[in-house]
Amino acid sequence: MARQPTLEFWFEFASTYSYLAAMRIEGLAEAAGVGVRWRPFLLGPIFASQGWTSSPFNLYPAKGRHMWRDMAREAARLGLPPVQRPPDFPQNSLAAARAAAFGADQPWIGAFTRAVYEAQFARGESIAEPGSVAALLNRLGLDGPAIVKAATSEPHKSRLRVVGEEAKSRGIFGAPTFLTEDGELFWGNDRLEQALAWATGERPPGLR
Amino acid sequence: MARQPTLEFWFEFASTYSYLAAMRIEGLAEAAGVGVRWRPFLLGPIFASQGWTSSPFNLYPAKGRHMWRDMAREAARLGLPPVQRPPDFPQNSLAAARAAAFGADQPWIGAFTRAVYEAQFARGESIAEPGSVAALLNRLGLDGPAIVKAATSEPHKSRLRVVGEEAKSRGIFGAPTFLTEDGELFWGNDRLEQALAWATGERPPGLR
């Protein structure tokens, strides 16, 4: 049997379009015969290095208005529940990202990632507090407080900084981003299907 | 026979993704039974009001690198020639936009728009000089110099300023943008098919 190709899925918990990708990627990847490598990261430092002090959807109100409307349309089109806005946007995603980075190679990473996004964008709940993250882990039958505590201690605590440097060095500027094993970068939920096809060796005709 | 619905197509000649939409919209709209209203405009003043002094693809280099690679992939996927970069990016699109605004309701607007984009992104030519724009018009069997001259005289000359105010007031922040008769705004070439479906009365299931 041939080796299964892998696609890296770089996501930020505060990112709305990362939510759409997170809800879809496991099913689509399985159908395509592609493995998913979950790469939680923080977009804040990358945005800050571009001079942005908040989400571009807040900094540019017209862009933000379109995004929320587009999210409503996309959620309906993809069969997801109506989008709810969390109490603050963007949410502080540090606690969730730390737990996800701690569990990135664990069998529960997909379920946990979806649980965080559903709490935030399908139920409009805050995911900012470590206690909220622990509760979501508990509901998956895990020891939430233990995981949150471990994720906040060294050496795990500093992992997100290293991951952030990797993201920048590999050309990541937004989320979601999909990276194939040969380094092809696809940005945005709209490119998930293309990224999976690329991972299986498909190429657009005549592409140089 | 029922009245044919119309979709407004707001495009900026310097915009790469507007190029992809411009090459596709007439065929797709005809198949969907939708009329196209061509709305050339200048993105510069809108970007300037957001504090951007150039294209975001120049201001944010990682975003720019992805855009050019994505353009190569998208052009291949859509059956367009390999993308060429014009001598400067973004091109000064004032002369082309003035001619297009002058002819926005003329039968040649679609062919002219595609001719400008093909010169720029399929052949990598400059479109910045009024002479280049006149030459493209000539090749369509029109009197290029006369059109360029008329488009630069009052009252046509100031038309783009009025159009720019309209764009802002209707929530436009980028290009291409599609606006339906009921005011639904879709941003980006990736949303062209959805915008046309919306124009014909289709709605995502359960959309509030």
Side-chain angles (χ1 to χ4, degrees):
Chain A
M1 191 184 148
R3 193 181 144 274
Q4 177 177 262
T6 297
L7 184 68
E8 289 181 51
F9 169 40
W10 288 74
F11 59 97
E12 149 71 59
F13 279 113
S15 150
T16 47
Y17 289 105
S18 293
Y19 159 56
L20 299 183
M23 301 309 289
R24 307 191 308 129
I25 194 168
E26 221 159 48
L28 290 173
E30 196 180 331
V34 173
V36 177
R37 190 171 167 215
W38 301 78
R39 305 297 314 264
F41 76 117
L42 297 175
L43 210 41
I46 290 180
F47 280 178
S49 74
Q50 295 179 169
W52 294 346
T53 52
S54 177
S55 162
F57 298 124
N58 290 344
L59 296 174
Y60 310 114
K63 197 180 175 73
R65 276 190 294 277
H66 173 265
M67 182 277 285
W68 288 111
R69 182 60 181 167
D70 191 53
M71 282 295 294
R73 291 189 305 240
E74 289 292 278
R77 190 176 67 83
L78 299 169
L80 296 169
V83 171
Q84 308 293 331
R85 300 195 198 189
D88 294 301
F89 179 83
Q91 285 276 295
N92 182 333
S93 55
L94 180 61
R98 276 183 175 160
F102 175 81
D105 301 317
Q106 298 297 308
W108 49 264
I109 182 66
F112 170 65
T113 300
R114 287 188 294 272
V116 173
Y117 279 121
E118 286 177 317
Q120 188 184 190
F121 294 121
R123 297 197 301 275
E125 298 170 7
S126 171
I127 56 138
E129 305 74 24
S132 314
V133 174
L136 292 170
L137 287 161
N138 284 346
R139 271 187 248 169
L140 298 173
L142 300 161
D143 185 342
I147 291 173
V148 166
K149 191 178 170 198
T152 314
S153 1
E154 295 296 353
H156 302 295
K157 192 182 169 181
S158 50
R159 193 180 288 186
L160 284 174
R161 226 179 348 252
V162 178
V163 168
E165 289 305 317
E166 182 188 347
K168 257 190 251 182
S169 74
R170 294 177 73 188
I172 290 176
F173 57 92
T177 290
F178 311 102
L179 269 170
T180 65
E181 289 171 271
D182 60 349
E184 193 74 13
L185 188 154
F186 295 84
W187 171 58
N189 174 58
D190 291 331
R191 293 289 178 273
L192 171 53
E193 285 83 351
Q194 288 183 36
L196 285 166
W198 190 286
T200 67
E202 271 183 51
R203 297 290 177 271
L207 183 64
R208 294 171 309 173
Chain B
M1 190 183 149
R3 191 181 145 278
Q4 176 177 263
T6 296
L7 184 67
E8 288 181 53
F9 170 40
W10 288 74
F11 60 97
E12 150 69 59
F13 278 113
S15 149
T16 48
Y17 289 106
S18 294
Y19 160 54
L20 299 183
M23 301 309 289
R24 307 191 308 128
I25 193 165
E26 222 160 46
L28 290 171
E30 196 180 332
V34 174
V36 177
R37 190 170 166 216
W38 302 77
R39 305 297 315 262
F41 77 117
L42 297 174
L43 209 40
I46 291 181
F47 281 177
S49 74
Q50 296 180 167
W52 295 345
T53 52
S54 177
S55 162
F57 298 125
N58 289 345
L59 297 174
Y60 310 114
K63 197 180 176 73
R65 277 190 294 275
H66 174 266
M67 181 277 284
W68 287 111
R69 181 61 180 165
D70 192 53
M71 282 295 293
R73 291 190 305 239
E74 289 292 278
R77 190 175 67 81
L78 299 169
L80 296 170
V83 172
Q84 308 294 331
R85 301 195 198 188
D88 294 301
F89 179 83
Q91 284 278 296
N92 183 333
S93 56
L94 180 61
R98 275 183 175 159
F102 176 81
D105 302 316
Q106 298 299 307
W108 49 264
I109 182 64
F112 171 66
T113 300
R114 287 187 294 272
V116 174
Y117 279 121
E118 285 177 317
Q120 188 184 189
F121 294 122
R123 298 197 300 276
E125 297 170 8
S126 171
I127 56 139
E129 305 73 24
S132 313
V133 173
L136 292 170
L137 287 161
N138 284 346
R139 271 188 249 168
L140 298 173
L142 301 161
D143 185 342
I147 291 174
V148 166
K149 191 179 170 195
T152 315
S153 359
E154 295 296 354
H156 302 295
K157 192 182 170 183
S158 51
R159 191 179 289 186
L160 285 173
R161 232 186 337 260
V162 178
V163 168
E165 289 305 317
E166 182 188 347
K168 259 191 250 183
S169 75
R170 294 177 74 187
I172 290 177
F173 57 92
T177 290
F178 311 102
L179 269 170
T180 65
E181 289 172 89
D182 60 348
E184 192 76 12
L185 188 156
F186 295 83
W187 172 58
N189 174 58
D190 292 331
R191 293 289 179 273
L192 171 54
E193 285 84 351
Q194 289 182 37
L196 286 167
W198 190 286
T200 67
E202 273 185 48
R203 297 290 178 271
L207 183 65
R208 295 172 307 175

